[in-house]
């Protein structure tokens, strides 16, 4: 039987290269000890998986919790409903975030989003347990991760903390494995002079890095992309109003016209979906393809606005819109900017973060604001 170390080495070779200082940490860290079970939906509804061993070393996200049900505590015939609420991050993405964090020996690191604890293990191996604090809102996740870390003689500080509230200390680096709607003011308060944070922004594929300087907190959007689960403050995400996309697919619009661009699956077009979120945050998307080649993009916003575009192939779509805003018009305006500029303007944009967590983005004559979300 192939040993876990052979699988770990294969993973390390995929994620990085033998000359990287991360290579040894990946080779020496048994991911299967942190993810003995996970949820998989590749064949339909969520189903429990407990191996094979190679599965734990795949360079992919392993979902460990659906709603409030953790895979560790599930029965083989459980099929949970709801959103994924925790996972073991794609190893290559975890290393990417650490690299953007500009980590170094002797710096105190806050690992926001413990999840399985695998990331905390990599950090502790590279930089020493006493310099790593790993935080998660879920007491079970923190307890399980701490036990699995200790079994490997790794003892970073592991705390149950709602990361949207006050953090337990100050840090030279804050690395987030969850997506935030804006920068929590508590992160800014916990960031030491010269300190650096790296996170992703909810509803976008933005990787944001920022450093505390004597004049404020400034940074940039990296020329890269990533997506994480949204940060949460409780055992599950709060319920949201159900959007009746079946009704949107059939209803007549208050405004009916012909779109200027082909229909596409907006949520899968990461540059375009990010630009649309920056313009109109909070849109939900669905995409449907018929057997006759007809495909439909559906959009809905919590304010009651909705839009539907339907076409065959790349033909101009018939567009129905209703509610207080014209969402398809907003999408077309964003596509205009995208084509006019020839690139996604948020990539490489400079960032200024205000004390309340508001993020101001600037690149050339392009501007965007990610407004602060009040602390619960």
């Amino acid at each position: 039987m192939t040993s876990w170390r052979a699988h770990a080495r294969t993973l390390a070779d995929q994620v990085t290269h033998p000359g990287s200082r991360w290579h040894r940490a990946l080779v020496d860290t048994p991911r299967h000890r942190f993810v003995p079970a996970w949820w998989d939906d590749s064949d339909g509804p969520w189903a429990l998986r407990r191996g094979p061993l190679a599965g734990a070393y795949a360079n992919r996200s392993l979902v460990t919790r659906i709603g409030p049900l953790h895979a560790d505590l599930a029965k083989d015939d459980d099929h949970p409903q709801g959103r994924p609420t925790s996972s073991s991050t794609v190893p290559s993405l975890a290393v990417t975030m650490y690299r953007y964090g500009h980590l170094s020996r002797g710096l105190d690191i806050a690992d926001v989003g413990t999840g399985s604890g695998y990331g905390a293990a990599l950090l502790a191996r590279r930089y020493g347990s006493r310099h790593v604090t790993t935080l998660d809102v879920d007491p079970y996740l923190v307890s399980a991760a701490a036990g699995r870390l200790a079994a490997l003689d790794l003892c970073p500080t592991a705390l149950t903390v709602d990361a949207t509230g006050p953090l337990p200390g100050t840090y030279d680096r804050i690395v987030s494995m969850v997506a935030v709607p804006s920068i929590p003011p508590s992160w800014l308060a916990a960031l030491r002079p010269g300190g650096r944070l790296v996170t992703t922004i909810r509803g976008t594929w933005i990787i944001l890095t920022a450093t505390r300087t004597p004049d404020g907190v400034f940074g940039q959007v990296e020329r890269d992309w990533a997506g994480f689960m949204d940060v949460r403050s409780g055992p599950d995400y709060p319920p949201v109003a159900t959007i009746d996309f079946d009704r949107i697919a059939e209803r007549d619009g208050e405004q009916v016209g012909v779109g200027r661009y082909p229909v596409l699956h907006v949520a899968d077009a990461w540059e375009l979906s990010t630009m649309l979120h920056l313009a109109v945050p909070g849109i939900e998307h669905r995409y449907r393809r018929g057997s006759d080649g007809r495909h439909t993009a559906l959009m809905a916003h919590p304010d009651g606005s909705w839009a539907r575009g339907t076409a065959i192939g790349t033909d101009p779509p018939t567009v129905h819109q209703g509610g207080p805003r014209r969402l398809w018009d907003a999408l077309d305006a964003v596509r205009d900017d995208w084509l006019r500029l020839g690139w996604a303007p948020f990539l490489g944009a400079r960032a200024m973060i205000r004390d309340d967590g508001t993020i101001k983005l600037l690149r050339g004559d392009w501007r965007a604001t990610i407004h602060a979300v009040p602390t619960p």
Side-chain angles (χ1 to χ4, degrees):
M1 177 182 292
T2 304
S3 72
W4 72 263
R5 284 191 175 275
H7 290 299
R9 180 172 293 279
T10 298
L11 175 61
D13 290 342
Q14 292 175 338
V15 169
T16 182
H17 57 89
S20 167
R21 295 179 182 179
W22 284 109
H23 193 271
R24 176 50 58 188
L26 288 157
V27 168
D28 289 342
T29 303
R31 194 183 188 206
H32 72 285
R33 298 277 291 273
F34 293 92
V35 196
W38 62 91
W39 297 108
D40 181 80
D41 67 345
S42 57
D43 297 323
W46 291 107
L48 192 64
R49 298 284 184 263
R50 301 186 190 276
L53 183 63
Y57 290 89
N59 185 33
R60 64 184 180 93
S61 176
L62 299 176
V63 174
T64 54
R65 195 172 182 272
I66 303 293
L69 183 57
H70 199 287
D72 288 354
L73 309 177
K75 300 175 183 177
D76 288 345
D77 58 353
D78 282 333
H79 296 285
Q81 302 292 317
R83 295 172 59 184
T85 47
S86 190
S87 70
S88 178
T89 299
V90 182
S92 58
L93 178 54
V95 170
T96 293
M97 296 295 283
Y98 298 152
R99 286 171 171 158
Y100 280 126
H102 293 185
L103 311 182
S104 181
R105 288 194 172 276
L107 300 179
D108 292 325
I109 304 164
D111 169 43
V112 179
T114 302
S116 69
Y118 177 71
L122 296 177
L123 290 170
R125 286 200 185 280
R126 276 289 317 265
Y127 302 110
S129 291
R130 71 186 184 93
H131 288 293
V132 177
T133 299
T134 187
L135 312 170
D136 204 292
V137 71
D138 188 313
Y140 173 77
L141 293 177
V142 173
S143 175
R148 290 162 181 168
L149 286 159
L152 300 175
D153 294 324
L154 299 172
C155 300
T157 301
L159 300 173
T160 302
V161 173
D162 177 357
T164 65
L167 298 188
T170 60
Y171 307 94
D172 300 297
R173 298 291 187 268
I174 298 174
V175 181
S176 174
M177 296 296 174
V178 293
V180 292
S182 57
I183 303 301
S186 61
W187 294 13
L188 301 177
L191 196 63
R192 294 171 182 165
R196 181 178 174 90
L197 65 84
V198 56
T199 188
T200 56
I201 303 299
R202 185 178 72 189
T204 78
W205 297 89
I206 284 174
I207 299 175
L208 179 73
T209 59
T211 300
R212 176 172 292 287
T213 75
D215 298 318
V217 180
F218 300 94
Q220 69 176 31
V221 175
E222 298 295 342
R223 290 176 174 83
D224 204 344
W225 62 279
F228 285 99
M229 293 179 190
D230 295 348
V231 68
R232 56 187 171 87
S233 297
D236 199 350
Y237 296 109
V240 296
T242 301
I243 296 173
D244 189 350
F245 280 100
D246 288 337
R247 182 165 181 263
I248 292 173
E250 300 295 336
R251 68 191 296 189
D252 292 331
E254 299 165 11
Q255 176 182 312
V256 182
V258 177
R260 292 182 287 110
Y261 298 105
V263 171
L264 81 167
H265 189 350
V266 179
D268 277 357
W270 66 272
E271 291 184 356
L272 184 59
S273 65
T274 294
M275 291 176 67
L276 182 59
H277 177 86
L278 293 174
V280 187
I283 298 175
E284 293 282 336
H285 299 274
R286 296 293 186 276
Y287 178 78
R288 299 176 178 180
R289 181 175 288 278
S291 58
D292 60 354
R294 188 179 305 273
H295 56 143
T296 301
L298 308 165
M299 298 192 291
H301 191 275
D303 69 4
S305 302
W306 64 275
R308 179 181 76 251
T310 302
I312 294 177
T314 58
D315 291 346
T318 299
V319 177
H320 291 252
Q321 304 186 79
R325 285 192 275 195
R326 297 294 179 252
L327 301 184
W328 202 275
D329 291 353
L331 174 62
D332 275 356
V334 164
R335 294 177 82 166
D336 286 342
D337 282 345
W338 195 20
L339 293 173
R340 174 178 59 84
L341 295 169
W343 38 265
F346 63 88
L347 290 173
R350 289 179 290 158
M352 178 185 72
I353 303 173
R354 293 179 174 171
D355 290 345
D356 66 353
T358 294
I359 306 167
K360 307 287 285 189
L361 300 177
L362 164 67
R363 185 175 180 190
D365 61 359
W366 179 85
R367 306 283 190 279
T369 300
I370 300 171
H371 294 282
V373 173
T375 302

